[in-house]
Amino acid sequence: MTRFLRLCKIAFVIFYYGLDELALSGFKNRRIRFLVRVITIGRKLEVPRGVRLRLALTRLGPIFVKFGQVLSTRRDLLPADIADELALLQDQVPPFDSAVAVAIIERSLGRPLSSMFDGFEHVPVASASIAQVHFATLKSGPNRGREVAVKVLRPGMLPVIDSDLALMRDVASWVERVSADGKRLKPREVVAEFDKYLHDELDLMIEAANASQLRRNFAETELLLVPEVFWDYCSSEVFVMERMHGIPISRTEALKAAGVDLHVLAEEGVEIFFTQVFRDGFFHADMHPGNILVSVAPETFGRYIALDFGIVGALSEFDKNYLAQNFIAFFRRDYHRVALLHVESGWVPPATRVEELESAVRACCEPYFDKPLKEISLGMVLMRLFQTSRRFNVEIQPQLVLLQKTLLNIEGLGRQLDPDLDLWRTAKPFLERWMHEQVGWRGAWERIQVEAPQWAKMLPDFPRLAHQFLERRALVHNGEQERLLAALVLEQRRTNRLVATALLLGGGFVVGMVLVQMLGWVGYW
């Protein structure tokens, strides 16, 4: 019943804001255009279409807002008026009452607001689908006087998200049953991944831990700034971090006026992405413009500042190596290697003809090389690759869905900063260097250094472990010999019985024949 009511609400919002008209208005068919005129009778649709779409997504809840945020980075796919409105979803979702935010902070941290913060700003500086942010200053302790950002979880989110996820699971199960591509696309596993990340966003302690890990990963580099976490002021509903100062990355004119080199900024953005994915296997997976600032402070001028760590992705060593080899093969235009990697990984059926897959991948990617970002669309490349994957029954990997989303975000950012950026040429040296570090002498030495403490711990136990292994092997060997010997004895006894029986029967027959012969002789005489 709850899911039915949610479907009814979605249908009502779509109709109320005229999204049905928005979807159908692009058709040139006369009957469809007539249908549009009929269904709009009695509705006031004077509000611009982009505004209506933004308001509808906001009213439908966090999952729809996330969808709008992703769309907002793809200005190559959307009209400018719609893209501008959807960009407001990144940090300008209508806030909830600040009195409610204060009550949540005091209840969650167990202290009055006045004992923790000075200058708490009741008007939120940013409001998104899951939480909103207030600025303040720490009042006491070793960090007294530090400027902080206080993130407060939006109340009532869990029921809405659970309801939408239940609908998504139902749709995924239906697709898996009725679609020929259901097994290959793994829709239920993809929804399960989405479920995990959304629920992680509802626990701000997880977000704080993500921020702490990302800060540690980039502590020794000059690429990315991550705010410090103040753990004494964190809970599942409240997250207090260092306040960061910078210019939103979407304000390109302000960045130019401040003297930031947008070309360098775009290249460093690509390097940050590949560093997170291939060096750390831990990446910020919500890199829309609302979550990124650029520092203009003299000591950190031009550096990226990351915000909002609710969604992060993680990759295994297998995934990292597989992806790196694929990327390098793409950049070298070694399509045969790409096809072989797909077969070796088990992502395509083993009977797939490598030459046919190679030809299909070449047709997808070759037209886009040696072109600046403004002349290509990574989204279009991915779409063509998905069509190819459907033809060759490539199994979708749910753990890579977030990576694909993040890659599209990166492309959207790069397109805004420097449309002439050559994505392939920028990324190729980094990946080749990373692969050299992984498989070369440097990589081997680093792995030895990592494993050495464990080896040192195990080394004194090695003689005892070796003796136990040999002893067990001997026992197993002796036990096996005893079992075989017992079987041979049983077989010998069975054979002896058969032989004895045969001799007895044969002897009886011979004796009987002798007696018969003797009786015959007696009668003859």
Side-chain angles (χ1 to χ4, degrees):
M1 186 62 180
T2 303
R3 298 179 191 177
F4 175 73
L5 292 176
R6 180 61 175 162
L7 279 174
C8 290
K9 180 179 179 180
I10 292 172
F12 170 77
V13 170
I14 289 173
F15 191 74
Y16 180 81
Y17 287 100
L19 301 190
D20 50 340
E21 175 267 340
L22 184 62
L24 295 173
S25 60
F27 287 89
K28 297 181 179 180
N29 185 282
R30 289 183 180 179
R31 295 178 181 178
I32 294 179
R33 294 179 69 85
F34 176 75
L35 176 64
V36 170
R37 286 195 293 270
V38 171
I39 63 178
T40 55
I41 293 175
R43 288 192 288 170
K44 298 179 179 179
L45 302 179
E46 295 83 4
V47 178
R49 58 181 184 174
V51 175
R52 284 189 278 129
L53 179 58
R54 174 176 58 82
L55 292 175
L57 294 177
T58 302
R59 187 164 178 178
L60 287 173
I63 289 181
F64 293 87
V65 171
K66 290 288 180 190
F67 177 67
Q69 289 173 349
V70 174
L71 280 181
S72 70
T73 65
R74 302 313 314 274
R75 291 180 174 269
D76 56 314
L77 304 178
L78 297 174
D81 60 323
I82 292 179
D84 290 340
E85 283 296 327
L86 292 184
L88 299 178
L89 294 174
Q90 293 166 6
D91 56 4
Q92 296 184 38
V93 176
F96 58 93
D97 191 348
S98 61
V100 175
V102 170
I104 292 173
I105 294 170
E106 293 182 333
R107 173 177 53 78
S108 185
L109 299 182
R111 288 170 280 177
L113 189 74
S114 59
S115 69
M116 295 181 285
F117 305 110
D118 275 331
F120 183 87
E121 297 183 11
H122 287 265
V123 178
V125 66
S127 180
S129 58
I130 299 294
Q132 67 186 32
V133 178
H134 300 260
F135 287 151
T137 304
L138 293 180
K139 189 171 186 177
S140 60
N143 294 303
R144 180 180 179 181
R146 294 281 300 274
E147 291 184 325
V148 295
V150 183
K151 187 170 186 177
V152 187
L153 191 68
R154 186 180 289 269
M157 285 294 96
L158 185 59
V160 177
I161 286 178
D162 283 344
S163 175
D164 286 347
L165 286 170
L167 283 175
M168 292 173 68
R169 281 190 288 269
D170 289 344
V171 172
S173 298
W174 179 76
V175 169
E176 200 165 273
R177 285 197 304 269
V178 304
S179 171
D181 290 331
K183 182 179 178 181
R184 181 181 66 85
L185 296 175
K186 300 182 181 179
R188 287 190 297 175
E189 293 184 35
V190 172
V191 173
E193 288 279 314
F194 196 40
D195 185 339
K196 173 186 177 300
Y197 294 118
L198 276 175
H199 279 89
D200 282 353
E201 275 202 280
L202 295 177
D203 186 347
L204 296 186
M205 285 293 284
I206 294 177
E207 180 174 352
N210 292 339
S212 183
Q213 179 66 53
L214 196 63
R215 177 181 171 87
R216 189 160 53 249
N217 289 348
F218 282 88
E220 304 299 325
T221 71
E222 298 294 324
L223 289 173
L224 183 67
L225 295 173
V226 180
E228 181 182 353
V229 177
F230 298 103
W231 288 105
D232 291 340
Y233 301 90
C234 292
S235 71
S236 59
E237 296 178 285
V238 180
F239 169 28
V240 177
M241 58 186 154
E242 175 187 4
R243 178 177 176 178
M244 308 300 286
H245 297 273
I247 299 174
I249 199 167
S250 58
R251 295 175 55 189
T252 53
E253 293 303 321
L255 290 173
K256 289 179 183 177
V260 176
D261 188 329
L262 297 188
H263 177 72
V264 172
L265 195 66
E267 289 187 339
E268 289 182 347
V270 174
E271 185 173 354
I272 288 171
F273 169 74
F274 283 104
T275 299
Q276 291 182 80
V277 172
F278 294 110
R279 187 194 69 182
D280 305 325
F282 184 87
F283 60 94
H284 192 302
D286 201 14
M287 296 184 69
H288 61 73
N291 289 337
I292 302 175
L293 306 177
V294 178
S295 174
V296 291
E299 63 275 13
T300 56
F301 184 82
R303 289 173 65 179
Y304 279 81
I305 300 172
L307 304 173
D308 195 342
F309 312 94
I311 302 180
V312 299
L315 298 175
S316 66
E317 287 298 321
F318 173 83
D319 289 333
K320 288 196 296 182
N321 280 286
Y322 171 78
L323 286 170
Q325 290 185 61
N326 260 290
F327 271 115
I328 289 175
F330 272 122
F331 295 157
R332 293 176 176 173
R333 305 190 189 187
D334 186 354
Y335 305 113
H336 185 75
R337 178 61 179 157
V338 173
L340 279 177
L341 285 167
H342 277 69
V343 175
E344 291 170 359
S345 68
W347 288 11
V348 295
T352 302
R353 290 189 60 186
V354 175
E355 293 77 13
E356 289 185 3
L357 182 57
E358 174 189 354
S359 177
V361 174
R362 181 184 295 110
C364 286
C365 300
E366 191 66 22
Y368 300 101
F369 278 103
D370 297 327
K371 289 186 177 181
L373 200 54
K374 65 182 178 183
E375 296 181 20
I376 65 174
S377 169
L378 194 57
M380 188 61 66
V381 176
L382 288 175
M383 186 178 296
R384 294 196 63 182
L385 284 173
F386 288 155
Q387 292 171 347
T388 301
S389 70
R390 185 175 186 271
R391 173 186 166 193
F392 288 92
N393 296 313
V394 179
E395 291 192 1
I396 301 301
Q397 304 302 306
Q399 74 274 20
L400 302 183
V401 171
L402 270 184
L403 185 65
Q404 294 166 356
K405 167 186 174 294
T406 307
L407 195 57
L408 290 176
N409 282 345
I410 293 295
E411 184 205 2
L413 282 174
R415 195 180 297 276
Q416 290 182 33
L417 294 174
D418 183 11
D420 293 316
L421 177 71
D422 189 331
L423 184 64
W424 321 109
R425 194 181 303 275
T426 305
K428 182 181 174 183
F430 174 85
L431 282 173
E432 289 180 334
R433 183 172 68 251
W434 181 84
M435 283 297 293
H436 176 71
E437 291 174 354
Q438 291 296 303
V439 302
W441 287 107
R442 179 177 174 181
W445 175 242
E446 288 181 353
R447 286 192 292 275
I448 289 173
Q449 287 179 309
V450 170
E451 296 293 338
Q454 186 68 17
W455 295 346
K457 182 180 177 181
M458 295 173 59
L459 192 60
D461 297 330
F462 182 76
R464 177 174 55 82
L465 294 173
H467 180 265
Q468 290 177 354
F469 172 76
L470 294 173
E471 201 172 47
R472 281 197 299 270
R473 185 174 180 183
L475 288 173
V476 171
H477 184 66
N478 291 337
E480 184 68 15
Q481 284 186 329
E482 290 177 3
R483 189 185 66 79
L484 290 173
L485 183 60
L488 286 172
V489 170
L490 289 174
E491 184 65 23
Q492 185 179 20
R493 288 176 180 173
R494 190 176 71 85
T495 304
N496 289 342
R497 285 196 299 269
L498 291 173
V499 170
T501 303
L503 289 174
L504 181 62
L505 292 174
F509 177 76
V510 171
V511 171
M513 292 298 295
V514 170
L515 288 175
V516 169
Q517 189 66 30
M518 289 177 66
L519 290 174
W521 287 340
V522 171
Y524 176 78
W525 290 106

